[in-house]
Structures are given as structure tokens and as C-alpha cells.
Amino acid sequence: MAQDVRNATRPYGGYDRRQSTTPDRELAEVGRGTPAGEYLRRFWQPVALAADIKDLPVPITILGEELVVFRDRSGQLGLLERYCSHRRTSLEFALIVDHGLRCAYHGWHYGVDGALLDVPGEKVPGTLASRMYHGAYPVREFRGLVFAYMGPPDQRPPFPDYDFMHHDEEEYLPFCWHNPCNWVQLRENTQDPIHLTFLHSMFDVQQFGDYAYDLPVIQACETPIGQITTSVRRVHDLYYCRVNELILPNIARVPDGIRLGDAIPENMAGEPGRRQAIELRYRRQLPSSHGLGLSTWIVPNDDFNAMHMGWLHLSPKWSEKARADYLATITFGQTGERSYEERHRNPGDWDAWVAQGRMAIQANENLTAADAGIALFRRQLRAGIRAVQAGERPKGMRAEGEGVCQTYGYALTRPAPCLPDEGAEWAAKQDYAQEMQQDILAAHLLPKASTPAVVRAFAPVIQLSQGMLLLAARPGLDVSDAAGLVALARKRPGLSYGSPGSGSPMHIAGELFNRAAGVSITHVPYKGTAPAITDLLGGHIDLIYGVPGSLWPHVQAGKMVALGVVQPTRSPLLPQVPTLEEQGVKGLDVTTWYGMLAPAGTPAPVVARLNREVAAILAEPDVQKEFRAQWEVPVGGSAEDFTRRTRDDYRRAGAIVAEFGIRLD
């Protein structure tokens, strides 16, 4: 039964407050058979530091299971259920032997795979060994961490292979921090960047310095393997963009911050307000006193305890003092080892997440826009859990042969202009955050094989024209504008829109409309525009996105209702049709264009002459008339303008494709 949760609504209204006592068990509980426990078991997890595994078995608890991890005398690692299959004595007291270990009580001998290698006193030797194994899990050591897979043996995924695991120029320092609280509240910490401005900056210990003081703009968006939470702050005359990454189900990639003078020029290009060159934008920050970030898994021991386990990425070029200073900064407040007095006066992350309770109760929270990353993680976590329950492959699960997985955590800077007021400053930060999200996703997600086709294989000469997309409805839907459509979609689930195919501009327009309006209108892809029009006229779908050349004759005949054009400003070809933007559905800009490109390597003087000659032709009245007859607006402009347009559209399209998981037919 749902509990009544109420906030106080008057001064000294503590008596009015009503709180839940029920945690979100679907997300929080991790034992065998629980929703989250089964989800997490489908992935490899780090379970121990290799340095802790010496000449004795080490008892550990992972996902509520009591285990022992050990290295036998032949060097093989093993992970076994802790209690002997014979009389349940703990194998933490077992004797390590050449192959596996022997129980201290009665000498049962187990191999690293759980095989019964010897059962002393058995009447017929080998009887038990022929019909049973002791519980065991596969393990693998990598860069000082021991990983285990604890899910169904026939569903074992490939070992994790992320790009951050392959920087041989760095030092990988393994770490393990223990926390007496539930794993979810730990995992959410990195997607909550606003806390840097308060927890890490307003007490006596200023943990991260200049870049943490300013109140950031925060945005979150999905990636193919999880999400990124972007925070943009002003650091004097710079905007500092920190992109924290969450890799499902429980990995965090946290880039280091900056201090003034530390490697800032490596990520600066151009003037304030201008887009940076992509080659510079994605160079990694390598500040001399603030490291290369950390990669961490949040691994539940049980429902009320969890570990941070991963690597600190260090530069081998640092002096001993620089290294020690960095470690002191990055590890401050990450454990409960300081005295209560110290923690009380200068609390750290450990105090904040542990103080939420052994298992935080989310129903009592009041989230804001700054919690976008947390809200997104909870939705993604629930979706992953339910995918596993449905027998589906959850997001973030890698398949054999996919190669090294690219990740998305960055620390970036750009010059910040002097702006007249807080509103302009906030808007500039928002634009930068959104631009970085789009660019990072596009740079990673568009197939490498397609990159030369757009960016490298051609030299853009001139944009010839720009087309537009129109959103139209069947008359029987009884809507005449975007506001009416949004209201109807919220009231009546199950509306559908057609497009000429998955991955088309029309498909993208429909998904952007869904996001901007907060509705869910189902996409129905067709093999071209004509069959989509046929189904709309027949009442089989409700809406269609298309070019005016295909849709406008039906609008004029009264067989379709034009709801709006999908661009920020009205088209001179259909000035009577309002944009979706002006009707309140913000951020929709999906246009088409034609252009002229030359082969890559064409000499610049040749490109310049082609541009001049074609621009002169485009200016001729008869040519302009012919373009307009085809529902295209002549454009022209310089080769540089067209180059910028192709690259910007390329990056933006990649971000949209990634966000909505769009795949070509």
C-alpha cells in the first residue's frame, strides 16, 4: 500500500510532514533473485584488489553472496562459495594447494572451477565428483583488480573492454573504498555535479579550488552505453565544461578538474562565442597538478554495504610531491577513516551519502532540474532491470567482437565572453553544455566508415538550396495546430506518425517533437513517402512528416491538415504555415539541403572559383524560380559557410541518432 508523503507547507510545520518508510526495493536490493541483483549479475564486476590476495583465502561478500577469493600455488585465481559443501565450514580457513584449496575441517579438495578433486573417506572414490560441483564463479585479473562474473554461465558476456582501460602511458592505481550504505546512493553521486559548489567548496577545506565555486548549468543525456551529465561553470574568463559519465549499470568515469594555468591552452581554440575545432576540443586535459581522473565501479556487497572499486589514473611524469598532493586531494572525504570531529567540521562525499541512511528512501526526496542526471539514471536502471526480466539484452551490454568501447567523459574549456547580466550568462552556459553533448556524442557515434564520406572525402564548395519539412495530420484527427496535437497525444496514447524510413530526417523530426512536447507518438517507418501518404489518407496512421512537394497538394485538397513547419523561422515558400517553434514546441530544426562538393584535395583556388561561378548562377532569376518550384530556397554563400554547415549537421545528427537509438533500415 502506498504511503502518504507530504511536505510541510507552513513555518514550523514539522508535524505536518509525512514520510515514507519504504525504499525502492526494485532498484536497491541485490540478492540472488531480486530484480537489481539479477541485472547486476549479467555484468562482470570487480570484487577484490589483486594485492590483497596473497597466501591465504580472502573472505568477501558480493551481491549478498558470501565467497572466498584466492590464488592457488599454480597461480590460478578462484572464487568459491564460502561454505564447504560437506559440513559448511568456512573456506576462509582452507589450505591453499597446487590446484585449488582443501577445506580445513575434512580436507575436501576444490578446484578453481568448483570441481571436487578429492573427497576423503568416500566409499567409492569419485561418486560425488561425478554428480556435483561446489559453487564457483569465473574470475580474471586486470591492472590490479580481480573481476568476477556471477550470472548464468551460458549468458557470460565478454570481459569489459573500454578505452579507459588501455592508456599504457598512464599509471593505474587500483583502489577500494568501503561504504556502509546501499549501492544506488553511491552510484548517483557522480551524476550530481552541483554538490561540488557546496559540499566541496563552502567548508574550511576547499577540495577542488577555482573551478568548483560557480553555480553550474547541468544537463543530462543518454549515450549508447549509459549517460553523460554535463556541468558548465565560469572560471574567471573561461567556461569549464565537465562531462561526468555513467556506464550502465554501475561504472563512473570522472574527469579531473582544472586549476588556473593547468593545460588550459590544450583545449582552447578560436574566439569567445565561436565553435572550437573538433581536433582540439577532444584533446584530454593533462594538468600538471590534477591528474587524469578516475574510473570506478560501485559494487554492492549486500543491500546495506557497497564498494567504490576502480583506478585512479596518474601521470608517471609527476614528482613524488605532486603525486602525493594529488592523492591527498582526490581521496579526501572518500572514506570514514577521519574522526567524527574532523568529518563534522569538513564533511566529504562519504559523509553525505552515508548520512542518507543505510538504504535511502527516494520517495521522500524533492528533486530539481539540477538532479537531471540522477532522474535519468533511475529511469535507465529500471529499464535495464526490466529488460533482463523480459529476457532481453540490457543497454550497455557488449557482444563478442565489438572491439574497444569508446567512452564519453571529458574536461573541456573555452574562452568566456563578458556578458551583461545573469540571464545572458546562464543562457551561454546552457548553449555550451548542449553543444558539447551533441559534439561528444556525434564524434563517437557516427560509424567510422561514414566519416570520410562527409568530412574527409569531399571538399564542400557551396550550398545550393535548403528545403523544409512539414508536419501534417489526417482531418479525422480533429487537430489544427501543434498545441491541439500535444493535448490530444497526452490525453489519448497510441497516436502514430509515418516517415519514409528509419533514420530519415522525417523520423528524426518526429522523435525531436516527442522529446520537446513530452509526448510519445509511435513511429511507423515506410519504404518511401508514397506508402506513408496512402496509409494516412486511409486512416491507418495519424500524422506524417514530409517535404511540401509530397504533402502540400493533399493539404490544398483538404485531405491533410498542415500543423507546422519543422524549423525555427517561417519559410518564404509557405509563409502562411507557422513553425512548430512559434507554437510552443521548442528546439525543432530539421531541414534538408542540396550542395556541391568536390573531391578531397581539390586545390583551394579551384574550390574558390567554383564557388564564385555557381553563386553567380544561383543569383539568376530563372534559376531561383526553378528552385522555388521544387520547394527549395536558394542559398549560396562561401565554401567556408558550407563546410561549417556540413560538419555541424554531421555532429548534431550523430547526437540525435545516439539519443534515440535510431538505426537505418
Side-chain angles (χ1 to χ4, degrees):
M1 180 177 178
Q3 292 180 288
D4 181 24
V5 177
R6 282 182 283 168
N7 290 317
T9 57
R10 55 181 173 173
Y12 302 112
Y15 185 80
D16 303 333
R17 181 85 160 97
R18 297 290 183 271
Q19 298 192 53
S20 174
T21 59
T22 305
D24 191 333
R25 301 188 187 282
E26 182 182 23
L27 306 186
E29 294 181 344
V30 297
R32 181 81 67 86
T34 63
E38 291 301 311
Y39 173 51
L40 292 168
R41 280 170 169 79
R42 266 53 179 186
F43 297 82
W44 285 86
Q45 306 288 348
V47 298
L49 299 178
D52 291 341
I53 304 172
K54 299 174 183 176
D55 60 344
L56 295 171
V58 179
I60 60 174
T61 300
I62 304 293
L63 298 175
E65 297 189 37
E66 295 180 286
L67 309 164
V68 291
V69 60
F70 64 96
R71 191 189 305 274
D72 70 17
R73 291 180 182 175
S74 71
Q76 285 191 292
L77 284 168
L79 182 65
L80 301 181
E81 291 181 1
R82 189 180 304 176
Y83 300 103
C84 177
S85 291
H86 179 214
R87 294 279 304 282
R88 310 302 293 164
T89 289
S90 175
L91 295 178
E92 68 189 283
F93 300 108
L95 176 68
I96 292 177
V97 294
D98 288 344
H99 299 287
L101 49 70
R102 280 191 181 271
C103 175
Y105 202 9
H106 299 103
W108 282 36
H109 182 188
Y110 300 103
V112 296
D113 62 352
L116 287 174
L117 302 180
D118 183 28
V119 180
E122 197 174 20
K123 188 172 183 178
V124 179
T127 301
L128 280 177
S130 67
R131 66 172 187 252
M132 67 168 285
Y133 279 75
H134 187 72
Y137 293 112
V139 289
R140 180 171 170 181
E141 183 177 353
F142 186 83
R143 292 196 187 275
L145 298 180
V146 175
F147 290 80
Y149 172 70
M150 297 175 60
D154 57 348
Q155 296 181 32
R156 187 198 306 186
F159 187 74
D161 193 15
Y162 299 103
D163 55 7
F164 62 79
M165 301 169 72
H166 298 288
H167 289 286
D168 292 336
E169 75 281 6
E170 301 173 0
E171 175 190 353
Y172 285 73
L173 182 63
F175 68 88
C176 180
W177 300 328
H178 293 273
N179 307 273
C181 63
N182 184 259
W183 78 281
V184 174
Q185 61 213 66
L186 298 181
R187 180 64 285 272
E188 292 174 344
N189 176 262
T190 57
Q191 309 316 116
D192 169 31
I194 196 171
H195 80 269
L196 270 69
T197 305
F198 302 99
L199 179 64
H200 297 302
S201 301
M202 69 181 184
F203 294 94
D204 292 339
V205 175
Q206 309 290 301
Q207 189 168 354
F208 295 116
D210 297 9
Y211 84 87
Y213 298 147
D214 187 41
L215 193 66
V217 161
I218 297 170
Q219 295 184 6
C221 73
E222 294 202 43
T223 71
I225 56 175
Q227 65 154 285
I228 51 176
T229 301
T230 303
S231 56
V232 175
R233 294 173 165 86
R234 177 180 283 270
V235 185
H236 302 286
D237 60 348
L238 296 171
Y239 285 138
Y240 168 60
C241 179
R242 192 183 201 205
V243 183
N244 286 358
E245 179 177 14
L246 182 158
I247 302 171
L248 290 169
N250 59 334
I251 307 174
R253 283 284 297 128
V254 183
D256 271 322
I258 58 169
R259 296 185 188 276
L260 293 184
D262 288 343
I264 290 171
E266 293 192 20
N267 285 319
M268 288 172 57
E271 301 170 1
R274 294 193 62 181
R275 298 174 74 90
Q276 297 164 281
I278 195 167
E279 304 81 38
L280 293 176
R281 185 180 299 147
Y282 297 113
R283 292 178 65 177
R284 304 180 74 197
Q285 289 279 1
L286 299 174
S288 60
S289 64
H290 206 60
L292 304 169
L294 59 85
S295 307
T296 179
W297 281 255
I298 305 299
V299 183
N301 302 105
D302 53 34
D303 293 345
F304 303 105
N305 297 275
M307 304 179 291
H308 283 88
M309 185 170 284
W311 301 287
L312 296 169
H313 298 265
L314 311 179
S315 171
K317 298 178 181 179
W318 292 343
S319 67
E320 284 299 317
K321 182 179 185 308
R323 187 177 189 277
D325 288 347
Y326 168 73
L327 291 176
T329 297
I330 204 70
T331 60
F332 176 84
Q334 300 302 305
T335 70
E337 294 175 355
R338 294 181 300 147
S339 71
Y340 178 73
E341 172 75 13
E342 291 179 84
R343 292 189 290 106
H344 206 175
R345 294 190 180 279
N346 285 288
D349 283 320
W350 190 91
D351 306 289
W353 56 58
V354 170
Q356 292 176 268
R358 298 298 301 276
M359 184 182 288
I361 299 175
Q362 298 171 358
N364 295 326
E365 299 172 343
N366 294 278
L367 301 185
T368 71
D371 301 307
I374 292 173
L376 178 56
F377 169 59
R378 292 176 184 174
R379 293 197 299 272
Q380 291 181 307
L381 176 56
R382 207 176 302 278
I385 287 170
R386 294 178 182 178
V388 169
Q389 289 175 326
E392 300 169 355
R393 179 178 170 184
K395 186 171 188 174
M397 177 71 71
R398 304 277 291 164
E400 291 287 356
E402 288 188 328
V404 177
C405 180
Q406 292 183 317
T407 59
Y408 304 85
Y410 287 97
L412 309 161
T413 58
R414 77 160 26 164
C418 294
L419 296 171
D421 54 46
E422 290 184 4
E425 173 78 0
W426 196 257
K429 291 178 181 176
Q430 286 181 316
D431 289 345
Y432 185 27
Q434 185 172 11
E435 178 187 325
M436 287 302 94
Q437 286 186 341
Q438 291 176 352
D439 288 349
I440 288 169
L441 288 170
H444 283 343
L445 294 174
L446 289 178
K448 293 188 182 301
S450 72
T451 302
V454 179
V455 178
R456 296 191 183 95
F458 297 101
V461 175
I462 191 169
Q463 183 177 347
L464 300 175
S465 65
Q466 178 168 299
M468 62 174 158
L469 296 185
L470 183 68
L471 171 60
R474 59 180 177 85
L477 198 61
D478 199 26
V479 295
S480 58
D481 55 25
L485 174 59
V486 171
L488 181 64
R490 291 173 179 170
K491 180 181 179 181
R492 189 202 304 171
L495 298 182
S496 59
Y497 74 90
S499 83
S502 294
S504 64
M506 298 76 172
H507 179 194
I508 288 173
E511 296 306 309
L512 290 176
F513 184 96
N514 280 344
R515 182 184 68 181
V519 297
S520 181
I521 301 174
T522 301
H523 174 231
V524 181
Y526 289 86
K527 300 292 185 181
T529 300
I533 291 175
T534 299
D535 270 9
L536 182 95
L537 299 180
H540 302 297
I541 58 174
D542 302 300
L543 303 153
I544 189 171
Y545 291 86
V547 296
S550 299
L551 305 188
W552 193 248
H554 298 287
V555 173
Q556 291 179 309
K559 297 179 180 180
M560 293 184 187
V561 178
L563 302 183
V565 292
V566 192
Q567 58 190 48
T569 58
R570 294 197 185 199
S571 169
L573 304 180
L574 282 177
Q576 71 274 34
V577 179
T579 68
L580 298 175
E581 177 93 14
E582 68 186 84
Q583 296 181 71
V585 185
K586 301 296 185 181
L588 270 66
D589 183 9
V590 183
T591 56
T592 59
W593 50 258
Y594 288 96
M596 177 180 288
L597 300 100
T602 301
V606 175
V607 171
R609 181 175 178 183
L610 284 170
N611 178 272
R612 289 194 303 271
E613 297 287 350
V614 175
I617 295 170
L618 283 174
E620 294 179 5
D622 288 346
V623 173
Q624 295 218 349
K625 181 179 178 181
E626 186 60 31
F627 268 104
R628 292 175 186 274
Q630 302 299 320
W631 297 94
E632 294 285 327
V633 177
V635 176
S638 69
E640 291 76 15
D641 291 337
F642 189 35
T643 298
R644 191 176 303 111
R645 173 70 187 264
T646 57
R647 289 182 175 176
D648 287 354
D649 281 3
Y650 182 74
R651 291 194 295 262
R652 182 169 177 266
I656 294 168
V657 164
E659 179 178 355
F660 297 110
I662 293 172
R663 294 291 181 266
L664 296 178
D665 286 334

